[in-house]
Amino acid sequence: MLSNKVNLNKAKREGKNTTTYGSRYFSEPIPKFEIPESGMPPRTAYRLINDELNLDGNPNLNLASFVTTWMEPEADVLIAENNGKNFIDNDEYPQTEIIQNRVVNMLARLFNAPGDCDFVGTSTIGSSEAIMLGILAHKWAWRENRKKKGINTPETPNIIMGADVHVVWEKFAKYFDVELRMVPMEKNNYILTADKVKDNIDENTIAIGVILGTTFTGQIDEIEKINDLLEEVKETKGWDIPIHVDGASGGFVVPFIYPNFKWDFRLSHVRSINVSGHKYGLVYPGVGWLIFKDKKFISEDLIFHVNYLGGVMPTFNLNFSKGSSMILAQYYNLLRLGKGGYTQIMENLIEITNYLRNNLEETDVFELLGSDLKLPIIAIKIKEEFKDNFTVFDISRKLREKGWLVPAYTLPANDEETAVLRIVVKENFSRDMADLLMEDIYDVFSYYNKLKDEGNDDIKEDSINIF
Ligand SMILES: Cc1ncc(COP(=O)(O)O)c(C=O)c1O
């Protein structure tokens, strides 16, 4: 009897004659803070982690993130097959670099780089790295210009942007010691206008940051008007100030559905553009792109030449090692979809966005922000008369119980008292999903209306992070 038990215990310890769940690892605490002395079978480690991750939200119901949650199976295979390649090992993986450069070429042309310009570009981890690198190059150009003009007085460079920017822009100013001239938003005007730029500009302005699809409302800054202003400033004052366009989300949408809308290298002062491949470029996280209209805008000083990987390699990036898979996946999408395929997807997104916007408006509960929205992003606030029934935070919290991830947050200065819900419509969000979401939104209304009728209140949640 005893030896039977001993045998059973031994079998259990070794995980024999049972499923993974019958092994001891599932009845003991798992290591959380110290590396265990000995390991565990691969299937067990996989199951433990995979099962814990069930507590995460479902990426396919994540309407908060701009980032791609689905790719075709062939792309998944390509990604898996190339996970072991470090992109920085150009000498060892020269073809991967060649493919990166093909994507840079395709994007520069998509962004209408003029034929007589010598455009350059690079892949990055995302738009954040691309923005930091881009503005850094403009800071260097400003400094070199001053040197050329023989100006030696110590001056602090400044950068102008609207409060509608992503947090990375503020990070840039702080990390790289540039004075941040952030233009506050006004009630019902959530974009950077040329007038506001005019009030802030001077000879130490290294660049104007403009957004093609803001994180808060999905709107577009007055890019063309700001360009006109900069042409006038150059003519009257001699200051040649560049624009960096943050096309993180809009850069892969606008060219396909609004090809005549001018925001890119067709505008004389637009010198650099970033775009997130992992947003509407339709690739998983993390790939972004930075494109310069001409290599003359990047100081040689910023390019490091390393030789320890074999061959001399120029690098202009903030980090060193990174995966190759997402760069290859970007090329996959460009080959696989072509302009036609991207256009069809973006048209579907806009159609579904309009459908959902109309449905939300018909509830009579919500007010849509930015009626001129050009991107598949919806920002809504609750009408005054319903503010006693529920807040956007209540709706966000209740929808989360159903699995939907719809963030609620307050707008930037000077409209912090306005709280909104944002829905990012992505490739795998069908019209049918939009109907299901609407049904759940009506259920949330009923829940809170009933509570109110009964004289009860529910907890009001704080804002959740949208970045
Ligand atoms: C307008 C804008 N810029 C920059 C970023 C940062 O992009 P990434 O996540 O690719 O670093 C975002 C992210 O949502 C964004 O919306």
Side-chain angles (χ1 to χ4, degrees), residues 115-395:
D116 57 351
C117 284
D118 201 358
F119 59 76
V120 283
T122 180
S123 61
T124 56
I125 290 293
S127 277
S128 301
E129 186 193 358
I131 290 167
M132 296 225 188
L133 271 178
I135 311 298
L136 203 54
H138 295 309
K139 183 180 174 187
W140 248 248
W142 162 82
R143 185 182 288 156
E144 283 177 359
N145 264 338
R146 278 167 54 87
K147 249 191 231 155
K148 267 191 224 146
K149 288 182 188 160
I151 311 172
N152 292 317
T153 46
E155 287 283 1
T156 314
N158 66 72
I159 182 159
I160 302 172
M161 62 188 77
D164 55 342
V165 291
H166 186 268
V167 66
V168 65
W169 284 85
E170 293 174 59
K171 280 190 190 171
F172 169 81
K174 191 162 266 186
Y175 295 172
F176 293 95
D177 212 12
V178 171
E179 180 197 332
L180 177 64
R181 294 198 177 163
M182 186 178 268
V183 177
M185 304 287 95
E186 286 161 14
K187 215 165 186 41
N188 298 323
N189 182 23
Y190 305 116
I191 54 166
L192 180 66
T193 61
D195 284 347
K196 296 284 183 211
V197 172
K198 193 174 184 175
D199 296 342
N200 285 282
I201 211 162
D202 65 27
E203 71 217 275
N204 293 314
T205 302
I206 60 166
I208 316 292
V210 297
I211 317 293
L212 187 79
T214 75
T215 319
F216 293 95
T217 64
Q219 287 171 285
I220 296 174
D221 288 341
E222 284 188 356
I223 308 179
E224 194 168 359
K225 284 192 183 152
I226 293 171
N227 190 73
D228 292 345
L229 167 76
L230 294 179
E231 282 189 349
E232 191 191 308
V233 166
K234 187 174 173 188
E235 210 165 297
T236 54
K237 307 216 159 131
W239 309 333
D240 186 13
I241 299 170
I243 296 176
H244 176 97
V245 183
D246 178 354
S249 45
F252 265 107
V253 182
V254 175
F256 297 114
I257 46 174
Y258 310 110
N260 297 327
F261 180 81
K262 280 196 193 148
W263 64 278
D264 52 18
F265 294 130
R266 282 168 288 184
L267 301 178
S268 54
H269 284 256
V270 173
R271 309 246 160 97
S272 52
I273 297 174
N274 70 275
V275 63
S276 296
H278 54 217
K279 293 188 175 116
Y280 290 107
L282 309 177
V283 179
Y284 296 130
V287 65
W289 300 93
L290 171 66
I291 314 286
F292 270 87
K293 189 184 228 163
D294 200 300
K295 73 172 187 222
K296 70 180 180 205
F297 298 123
I298 308 179
S299 161
E300 254 303 310
D301 232 20
L302 285 173
I303 303 185
F304 285 79
H305 298 269
V306 298
N307 63 1
Y308 32 77
L309 294 167
V312 176
M313 198 186 69
T315 74
F316 178 48
N317 281 95
L318 292 180
N319 64 307
F320 194 66
S321 295
K322 69 175 177 193
S324 299
S325 291
M326 298 310 156
I327 295 165
L328 300 172
Q330 184 76 77
Y331 189 49
Y332 169 86
N333 273 352
L334 293 167
L335 286 189
R336 152 82 178 113
L337 298 171
K339 287 182 185 155
Y342 267 103
T343 306
Q344 278 177 37
I345 292 169
M346 299 308 153
E347 280 173 356
N348 263 4
L349 291 184
I350 297 294
E351 214 176 301
I352 293 162
T353 304
N354 287 339
Y355 176 74
L356 191 55
R357 280 165 58 97
N358 291 341
N359 273 276
L360 289 163
E361 214 161 16
E362 274 169 20
T363 63
D364 262 342
V365 170
F366 298 117
E367 211 175 290
L368 292 150
L369 268 70
S371 54
D372 60 342
L373 279 191
K374 288 198 156 66
L375 301 180
I377 299 159
I378 302 173
I380 44 175
K381 62 180 181 181
I382 291 178
K383 285 185 178 169
E384 241 1 89
E385 57 264 40
F386 291 97
K387 283 201 171 141
D388 288 340
N389 298 39
F390 36 69
T391 67
V392 285
F393 303 106
D394 295 326
I395 296 180

